[in-house]
Amino acid sequence: MTSRTLTTIGFDADDTLWQNEQFYRLTETHFTELLADFADGASISERLLAAERRNLQHYGFGIKGFTLSMIETAIEITEGKIPASVIAQILDTGRDLLSHPVETMPHARETLAALADTYLLVMITKGDLFDQERKLAQSGLGDFFHAVEIVSDKTAVTYRRIFSKIGGGPERAMMVGNSLKSDIVPAIAAGSYGVFVPHELTWVLEHVEEPSEAPRFRKIEHLGELRGLIDTLG
Ligand SMILES: [Mg+2]
Protein backbone atom coordinates (compact mmCIF):
# COMPACT_ATOMS: atom_id res chain seq x y z
CA MET A 1 0.00 0.00 0.00
CA THR A 2 1.46 3.31 -1.04
CA SER A 3 1.35 6.24 1.31
CA ARG A 4 -1.00 8.35 -0.70
CA THR A 5 -1.03 11.86 0.63
CA LEU A 6 -3.54 13.34 -1.74
CA THR A 7 -7.18 13.18 -0.60
CA THR A 8 -8.94 15.93 -2.53
CA ILE A 9 -8.90 17.27 -6.07
CA GLY A 10 -10.56 20.57 -6.96
CA PHE A 11 -11.57 21.25 -10.54
CA ASP A 12 -12.24 24.59 -12.12
CA ALA A 13 -15.22 24.40 -14.48
CA ASP A 14 -15.16 27.02 -17.26
CA ASP A 15 -12.57 26.12 -19.91
CA THR A 16 -11.30 23.30 -17.71
CA LEU A 17 -14.26 20.90 -17.74
CA TRP A 18 -16.28 22.60 -20.46
CA GLN A 19 -15.90 25.29 -23.10
CA ASN A 20 -16.83 28.79 -21.99
CA GLU A 21 -14.68 31.64 -23.27
CA GLN A 22 -15.45 30.88 -26.91
CA PHE A 23 -19.10 31.77 -26.28
CA TYR A 24 -18.11 35.08 -24.69
CA ARG A 25 -15.92 35.86 -27.71
CA LEU A 26 -18.82 35.22 -30.09
CA THR A 27 -21.08 37.45 -27.99
CA GLU A 28 -18.47 40.18 -27.96
CA THR A 29 -18.17 40.02 -31.75
CA HIS A 30 -21.93 40.32 -32.05
CA PHE A 31 -21.85 43.26 -29.63
CA THR A 32 -19.23 45.11 -31.70
CA GLU A 33 -21.38 44.55 -34.80
CA LEU A 34 -24.37 46.10 -33.07
CA LEU A 35 -22.29 49.24 -32.44
CA ALA A 36 -20.47 49.27 -35.77
CA ASP A 37 -22.01 52.64 -36.73
CA PHE A 38 -20.38 54.30 -33.74
CA ALA A 39 -16.86 52.86 -33.42
CA ASP A 40 -14.54 50.19 -34.77
CA GLY A 41 -14.45 46.72 -33.26
CA ALA A 42 -11.07 47.03 -31.56
CA SER A 43 -11.92 50.20 -29.69
CA ILE A 44 -15.32 48.83 -28.63
CA SER A 45 -13.59 45.72 -27.25
CA GLU A 46 -11.09 47.87 -25.41
CA ARG A 47 -13.82 49.97 -23.80
CA LEU A 48 -15.76 46.82 -22.92
CA LEU A 49 -12.76 45.27 -21.19
CA ALA A 50 -12.22 48.49 -19.22
CA ALA A 51 -15.88 48.39 -18.12
CA GLU A 52 -15.60 44.72 -17.10
CA ARG A 53 -12.48 45.47 -15.09
CA ARG A 54 -14.23 48.38 -13.32
CA ASN A 55 -17.39 46.41 -12.68
CA LEU A 56 -15.93 43.18 -11.27
CA GLN A 57 -15.94 44.70 -7.80
CA HIS A 58 -19.63 45.53 -8.13
CA TYR A 59 -21.08 42.57 -10.02
CA GLY A 60 -18.54 39.77 -9.65
CA PHE A 61 -17.81 37.25 -12.39
CA GLY A 62 -20.33 35.96 -14.90
CA ILE A 63 -22.76 36.68 -17.66
CA LYS A 64 -25.03 39.11 -15.82
CA GLY A 65 -22.09 41.38 -15.05
CA PHE A 66 -20.85 41.01 -18.60
CA THR A 67 -24.25 42.05 -19.97
CA LEU A 68 -24.36 45.15 -17.76
CA SER A 69 -20.84 46.02 -18.91
CA MET A 70 -21.91 45.73 -22.54
CA ILE A 71 -24.82 48.12 -21.91
CA GLU A 72 -22.59 50.56 -20.05
CA THR A 73 -20.07 50.46 -22.91
CA ALA A 74 -22.81 51.04 -25.47
CA ILE A 75 -24.01 54.11 -23.57
CA GLU A 76 -20.45 55.46 -23.39
CA ILE A 77 -19.59 54.86 -27.02
CA THR A 78 -22.81 56.38 -28.35
CA GLU A 79 -22.60 59.23 -25.84
CA GLY A 80 -25.98 58.27 -24.52
CA LYS A 81 -27.65 58.04 -27.93
CA ILE A 82 -28.01 54.27 -28.07
CA PRO A 83 -31.55 53.35 -29.14
CA ALA A 84 -33.55 51.24 -26.71
CA SER A 85 -33.98 48.68 -29.49
CA VAL A 86 -30.22 48.10 -29.51
CA ILE A 87 -30.16 47.75 -25.71
CA ALA A 88 -32.84 45.10 -26.15
CA GLN A 89 -30.59 43.29 -28.61
CA ILE A 90 -27.68 43.45 -26.17
CA LEU A 91 -29.91 41.93 -23.50
CA ASP A 92 -30.84 39.20 -25.97
CA THR A 93 -27.21 38.35 -26.67
CA GLY A 94 -26.58 38.11 -22.93
CA ARG A 95 -29.54 35.78 -22.53
CA ASP A 96 -28.32 33.66 -25.44
CA LEU A 97 -25.05 33.25 -23.58
CA LEU A 98 -27.02 31.87 -20.63
CA SER A 99 -28.44 29.10 -22.80
CA HIS A 100 -25.51 28.03 -24.95
CA PRO A 101 -25.02 24.26 -25.21
CA VAL A 102 -22.55 22.69 -22.82
CA GLU A 103 -19.55 21.18 -24.56
CA THR A 104 -17.31 19.20 -22.23
CA MET A 105 -13.54 19.25 -22.72
CA PRO A 106 -11.69 16.24 -24.12
CA HIS A 107 -10.92 13.60 -21.46
CA ALA A 108 -13.01 15.39 -18.80
CA ARG A 109 -15.54 12.65 -18.27
CA GLU A 110 -13.20 9.64 -18.29
CA THR A 111 -10.73 11.41 -16.00
CA LEU A 112 -13.36 12.35 -13.41
CA ALA A 113 -14.87 8.86 -13.60
CA ALA A 114 -11.49 7.26 -12.92
CA LEU A 115 -10.53 9.59 -10.07
CA ALA A 116 -13.88 9.69 -8.28
CA ASP A 117 -13.40 6.27 -6.68
CA THR A 118 -10.14 7.23 -4.98
CA TYR A 119 -10.34 10.95 -4.31
CA LEU A 120 -12.88 13.49 -3.12
CA LEU A 121 -13.59 15.60 -6.17
CA VAL A 122 -14.81 19.17 -5.74
CA MET A 123 -15.91 21.52 -8.47
CA ILE A 124 -14.79 25.05 -7.59
CA THR A 125 -16.00 27.77 -9.91
CA LYS A 126 -16.81 31.46 -10.12
CA GLY A 127 -19.62 32.87 -12.21
CA ASP A 128 -23.37 33.20 -11.99
CA LEU A 129 -25.00 30.68 -9.68
CA PHE A 130 -27.86 29.76 -12.03
CA ASP A 131 -25.58 29.50 -15.03
CA GLN A 132 -23.04 27.25 -13.33
CA GLU A 133 -25.78 25.01 -11.94
CA ARG A 134 -27.30 24.75 -15.40
CA LYS A 135 -23.98 23.88 -17.02
CA LEU A 136 -23.15 21.30 -14.37
CA ALA A 137 -26.54 19.64 -14.85
CA GLN A 138 -26.25 19.63 -18.65
CA SER A 139 -22.65 18.41 -18.59
CA GLY A 140 -23.66 15.12 -16.98
CA LEU A 141 -20.57 15.38 -14.75
CA GLY A 142 -22.38 16.18 -11.51
CA ASP A 143 -22.35 12.66 -10.09
CA PHE A 144 -18.56 12.54 -9.99
CA PHE A 145 -18.37 15.40 -7.51
CA HIS A 146 -18.44 15.04 -3.76
CA ALA A 147 -19.15 18.79 -3.51
CA VAL A 148 -19.74 21.84 -5.68
CA GLU A 149 -18.52 25.27 -4.58
CA ILE A 150 -19.70 28.28 -6.58
CA VAL A 151 -17.71 31.15 -5.15
CA SER A 152 -17.49 34.90 -5.71
CA ASP A 153 -13.71 34.86 -6.07
CA LYS A 154 -10.83 32.40 -5.84
CA THR A 155 -8.15 33.37 -3.37
CA ALA A 156 -5.82 31.41 -1.08
CA VAL A 157 -8.42 31.90 1.65
CA THR A 158 -11.07 30.31 -0.57
CA TYR A 159 -8.96 27.22 -1.19
CA ARG A 160 -7.90 26.93 2.45
CA ARG A 161 -11.54 27.06 3.53
CA ILE A 162 -12.79 24.51 1.01
CA PHE A 163 -9.90 22.05 1.35
CA SER A 164 -10.05 22.23 5.16
CA LYS A 165 -13.71 21.31 5.03
CA ILE A 166 -13.37 18.54 2.44
CA GLY A 167 -10.62 15.94 2.80
CA GLY A 168 -7.37 16.23 4.68
CA GLY A 169 -6.61 19.94 4.41
CA PRO A 170 -4.94 22.10 1.74
CA GLU A 171 -1.62 20.22 1.87
CA ARG A 172 -3.41 17.06 0.79
CA ALA A 173 -5.33 18.77 -1.98
CA MET A 174 -4.79 19.66 -5.62
CA MET A 175 -6.45 22.30 -7.77
CA VAL A 176 -6.75 21.78 -11.51
CA GLY A 177 -7.62 24.65 -13.85
CA ASN A 178 -6.94 26.85 -16.85
CA SER A 179 -6.43 30.13 -15.00
CA LEU A 180 -3.05 30.75 -13.41
CA LYS A 181 -4.50 33.74 -11.58
CA SER A 182 -7.60 32.10 -10.13
CA ASP A 183 -6.90 28.37 -10.02
CA ILE A 184 -3.18 27.85 -9.69
CA VAL A 185 -1.38 30.68 -7.90
CA PRO A 186 -3.84 30.99 -4.98
CA ALA A 187 -4.12 27.20 -4.55
CA ILE A 188 -0.34 26.92 -4.30
CA ALA A 189 -0.34 29.82 -1.83
CA ALA A 190 -2.83 27.82 0.25
CA GLY A 191 -0.37 24.91 0.33
CA SER A 192 -1.99 22.71 -2.33
CA TYR A 193 -0.79 21.41 -5.65
CA GLY A 194 -1.71 23.61 -8.60
CA VAL A 195 -2.09 21.82 -11.93
CA PHE A 196 -2.30 24.21 -14.85
CA VAL A 197 -4.17 23.01 -17.94
CA PRO A 198 -3.82 25.87 -20.43
CA HIS A 199 -6.73 26.66 -22.73
CA GLU A 200 -6.12 28.52 -25.97
CA LEU A 201 -8.80 31.03 -25.05
CA THR A 202 -8.35 32.47 -21.59
CA TRP A 203 -9.82 35.82 -20.60
CA VAL A 204 -7.13 38.49 -20.45
CA LEU A 205 -8.04 39.39 -16.85
CA GLU A 206 -7.07 35.83 -15.80
CA HIS A 207 -3.47 36.07 -17.02
CA VAL A 208 -0.49 36.15 -14.67
CA GLU A 209 3.02 34.70 -14.93
CA GLU A 210 3.60 31.02 -14.30
CA PRO A 211 5.02 30.48 -10.80
CA SER A 212 8.78 29.98 -11.10
CA GLU A 213 9.83 28.59 -7.73
CA ALA A 214 6.86 26.56 -6.64
CA PRO A 215 7.54 22.86 -6.01
CA ARG A 216 3.80 22.15 -6.13
CA PHE A 217 3.23 23.72 -9.54
CA ARG A 218 2.54 21.32 -12.42
CA LYS A 219 1.44 21.81 -16.01
CA ILE A 220 -0.25 19.35 -18.35
CA GLU A 221 -1.46 19.63 -21.94
CA HIS A 222 -4.94 18.22 -21.35
CA LEU A 223 -6.97 16.42 -18.69
CA GLY A 224 -6.01 13.04 -20.13
CA GLU A 225 -2.58 13.55 -18.56
CA LEU A 226 -3.87 14.13 -15.05
CA ARG A 227 -3.99 10.56 -13.80
CA GLY A 228 -0.44 9.90 -14.91
CA LEU A 229 0.69 13.05 -13.15
CA ILE A 230 -1.04 12.06 -9.91
CA ASP A 231 0.68 8.66 -10.03
CA THR A 232 4.07 10.38 -10.02
CA LEU A 233 3.27 12.24 -6.79
CA GLY A 234 3.39 9.05 -4.69
MG1 LIG B 1 -11.60 28.49 -15.99
Side-chain angles (χ1 to χ4, degrees), residues 78-93:
T78 64
E79 294 172 343
K81 296 187 192 68
I82 184 163
S85 60
V86 178
I87 293 180
Q89 285 177 282
I90 294 170
L91 288 167
D92 282 344
T93 63

Side-chain angles (χ1 to χ4, degrees), residues 124 149-153 155-166 170 190:
I124 306 173
E149 295 275 346
I150 300 171
V151 296
S152 58
D153 204 357
T155 64
V157 172
T158 316
Y159 291 114
R160 231 172 263 132
R161 174 180 66 76
I162 293 170
F163 292 141
S164 299
K165 191 171 65 175
I166 300 162

Side-chain angles (χ1 to χ4, degrees), residues 10-21 100 102-105 108 112 122-128 131-137 139 141 145 147-151 154 159 175-179 182-183 197 199 223:
F11 284 88
D12 169 55
D14 289 341
D15 296 314
T16 298
L17 296 176
W18 51 65
Q19 302 284 5
N20 175 66
E21 185 66 18
H100 70 74
V102 176
E103 189 184 323
T104 55
M105 298 296 289
L112 294 174
V122 195
M123 192 181 99
I124 306 173
T125 180
K126 297 184 292 197
D128 294 307
D131 186 44
Q132 294 297 3
E133 287 177 342
R134 168 188 80 88
K135 288 189 285 191
L136 180 62
S139 72
L141 302 177
F145 289 103
V148 173
E149 295 275 346
I150 300 171
V151 296
K154 290 171 163 178
Y159 291 114
M175 182 65 193
V176 180
N178 74 302
S179 167
S182 297
D183 304 319
V197 196
H199 188 286
L223 287 176

